[in-house]
Amino acid sequence: MPIIGRAARRAPGTSARAGTGPAPRAAPGPPRPGIRSRVRGGAADDGGGGGIGLLPVTDSGSPDSPSPLDAEAAGPDRPDPLDGVWDVVVVGAGPAGASAAHAAAAQGRRVLLLDKAEHPRYKTCGGGIIGPSRDSLPPDFRLPLQDRVHAVSFAYRGRFTRTRRSKRMLFGLVNRDEFDLRLVQAAKQAGAVLVTGVTVTGVEQRGGEHRTALVTASDGRSFEARAVVGADGSASRIGRHVGVSFDQIDLGLEAEIPVPADVAADWAGRIHLDWGPLPGSYGWVFPKTESSSLTVGVISARGDGERTKQYLADYIRRLGLSGFPPSVESGHLTRCRAEDSPLSRGRVLVAGDAAGLLEPWTREGISYALRSGRLAGEWAVKLAEAGTAAEVRREALNYAFAIKAGLGVEMRAGKQMLNAFERRPYLFHAAVCLVDPAWRAFARTTQGHTTFAQVLRQYRSARRLAALASR
């Protein structure tokens, strides 16, 4: 079981299976060596495009460096460094989990971050970093940008194409393996301990004198914590424990296509969006210029997989990319939470895809993961400090309120937009291509200056368009 991170902030106490309370504090140890980065990145700016440069990253160590938390360090005379009661255990080291671990560790808490996969690893995702994502990153985070988007080519079922341009950068593009690795490194630098190769099978609430939750793994190990954050994806085991329910499930298919340098140069700074033939469907091309590849994908409602596959094949053919074999072909399901779906149970919170938090129309999930993960990490600390059942319920309700007051409002607006888009996608295409205020609203939303909810609330024309399309 690979273990990567800083030495635990709290000296090991009782066994992870039989912990009886908090272990004494110990002075934090020196920073642990990080994972060697193979990419370059730049510091995030305000979205204008001029301040995100590609800067070299200083390696902080090799993954092969010896770790005081190596499993071999535990012997007959040495306690297991993973034993004892953790303040917060986070399940899943994607954007939501890494953000939660960072937020909790930054407050000086003893935080364990679990993931079944080694990082870096491929993730099916377009990799768009819109304004809200950029604004939710840890301080001094360096974005491993592959490209900066200043133009969008819109098409309706492969026809009526028009390209709109912006002087200011709309959003950035990343490879998810590089981006997620950077987030995990930030969590480790804040003090979280990362353990990979762990497949979590469930969680148990422990009442009485324990006042903890026990996370169980397939290898028979268990990890005890005063608060747990489930960020283990859309098929979340922790979400199942909480009782998360969904009212929208979509199938996304994607191909990572390496292309010659001259083809990559033609796509530099420009993405392609195609409003597709299936209700609510669309396709995208996101160029990864630094690595000379194009991420091409489509998404539509689950239940018509063959037609979705055909849509992707036809889309690639129309783009003139059929002659370039993909290096990766993958698919995944995205799930949007139902309005009344719970966000907590006892000392367990859920965030990101595990909570069904993503934008319903575009199915954008990175910004929702980062924002909900940060909130979950902050409220997990409060849950860990809660001494009574009433205090636990109060903090869990406060977390749910924070999610619903922000992301919940945006999701309601997104569902309204999707409902209209499913019925009359051509109206959306005409608006964004021909109506300047509609294009500016799209651009400002990607830049993080507004949201779909604010657009619908502030502009009567947007409400009329949505109402007309919904008929």
Side-chain angles (χ1 to χ4, degrees):
M1 177 185 296
I3 305 174
I4 309 168
R6 283 170 62 177
R9 289 177 175 265
R10 183 171 295 167
T14 57
S15 166
R17 294 177 179 82
T20 57
R25 288 269 181 188
R32 286 286 307 123
I35 300 175
R36 184 177 298 276
S37 174
R38 297 175 295 174
V39 300
R40 297 180 299 136
D45 73 343
D46 63 357
I52 301 184
L54 292 177
L55 302 174
V57 176
T58 302
D59 289 340
S60 56
S62 165
D64 297 325
S65 301
S67 168
L69 290 177
D70 284 340
E72 290 78 2
D77 300 324
R78 296 182 181 181
D80 187 336
L82 298 182
D83 277 355
V85 180
W86 297 83
D87 292 318
V88 179
V89 168
V90 181
V91 181
S99 295
H102 181 278
Q107 297 188 49
R109 298 309 190 268
R110 186 172 183 245
V111 179
L112 179 62
L113 178 59
L114 304 175
D115 200 284
K116 65 182 179 181
E118 299 281 350
H119 286 258
R121 81 282 189 267
Y122 183 82
K123 175 71 174 179
T124 304
C125 179
I129 305 299
I130 61 176
S133 298
R134 177 206 61 217
D135 296 341
S136 302
L137 293 169
D140 302 321
F141 185 86
R142 293 178 178 271
L143 273 169
L145 286 180
Q146 288 283 322
D147 211 330
R148 303 166 182 81
V149 177
H150 287 82
V152 183
S153 293
F154 296 98
Y156 175 65
R157 300 185 182 182
R159 301 184 297 164
F160 312 115
T161 301
R162 182 175 180 185
T163 299
R164 304 298 301 256
R165 301 184 184 276
S166 170
K167 293 181 179 179
R168 294 173 60 87
M169 189 179 81
L170 298 171
F171 57 93
L173 296 174
V174 299
N175 285 327
R176 279 291 304 276
D177 55 353
E178 301 168 348
F179 178 69
D180 290 11
L181 174 60
R182 295 279 182 92
L183 288 172
V184 168
Q185 289 174 328
K188 288 162 49 189
Q189 290 166 3
V193 174
L194 170 68
V195 181
T196 58
V198 178
T199 299
V200 169
T201 56
V203 61
E204 303 171 12
Q205 305 274 352
R206 306 188 74 193
E209 64 179 13
H210 297 285
R211 297 176 182 174
T212 57
L214 198 67
V215 176
T216 57
S218 60
D219 61 4
R221 303 195 69 174
S222 57
F223 309 92
E224 189 170 10
R226 296 178 180 85
V228 173
V229 176
D232 47 336
S234 62
S236 168
R237 292 293 186 106
I238 309 302
R240 201 173 306 164
H241 170 80
V242 169
V244 176
S245 60
F246 311 99
D247 62 7
Q248 177 185 330
I249 303 179
D250 297 290
L251 171 63
L253 301 177
E254 192 171 85
E256 199 72 36
I257 304 178
V259 294
D262 58 335
V263 176
D266 288 340
W267 283 94
R270 177 175 64 92
I271 69 167
H272 189 279
L273 296 178
D274 176 74
W275 314 125
L278 306 175
S281 68
Y282 76 96
W284 65 87
V285 179
F286 283 6
K288 309 298 171 59
T289 306
E290 287 293 308
S291 55
S292 294
S293 67
L294 302 175
T295 302
V296 184
V298 301
I299 196 164
S300 67
R302 184 183 67 169
D304 206 345
E306 289 303 317
R307 290 183 66 193
T308 304
K309 291 178 184 178
Q310 189 60 49
Y311 176 29
L312 177 60
D314 291 343
Y315 187 41
I316 291 174
R317 176 183 50 78
R318 287 198 304 264
L319 292 166
L321 300 174
S322 297
F324 306 112
S327 59
V328 179
E329 294 179 290
S330 60
H332 72 293
L333 294 176
T334 64
R335 296 175 169 91
C336 286
R337 68 186 295 270
E339 186 80 17
D340 59 351
S341 178
L343 292 161
S344 67
R345 179 180 175 185
R347 291 183 175 269
V348 179
L349 308 176
V350 285
D353 286 345
L357 294 168
L358 72 157
E359 207 290 312
W361 177 32
T362 65
R363 288 80 153 187
E364 189 276 325
I366 295 178
S367 72
Y368 281 70
L370 292 170
R371 288 183 283 175
S372 64
R374 184 180 62 188
L375 288 172
E378 293 170 352
W379 253 274
V381 170
K382 298 177 181 180
L383 274 182
E385 295 172 344
T388 67
E391 291 173 346
V392 169
R393 284 194 296 272
R394 181 174 66 247
E395 298 303 344
L397 286 172
N398 286 338
Y399 170 68
F401 177 80
I403 292 292
K404 293 176 181 179
L407 299 179
V409 172
E410 294 180 29
M411 287 187 71
R412 281 195 294 274
K415 289 181 179 181
Q416 185 177 350
M417 298 281 282
L418 176 63
N419 182 55
F421 176 72
E422 287 177 332
R423 287 165 170 76
R424 290 179 172 82
Y426 56 86
L427 289 181
F428 283 76
H429 182 65
V432 78
C433 289
L434 303 176
V435 181
D436 286 341
W439 159 246
R440 286 195 295 270
F442 177 92
R444 286 176 56 80
T445 299
T446 64
Q447 292 166 338
H449 301 312
T450 188
T451 66
F452 291 141
Q454 291 172 334
V455 169
L456 290 175
R457 185 169 59 248
Q458 295 173 359
Y459 298 100
R460 182 180 300 175
S461 57
R463 294 194 299 273
R464 287 178 174 174
L465 173 63
L468 176 62
S470 298
R471 293 176 183 170

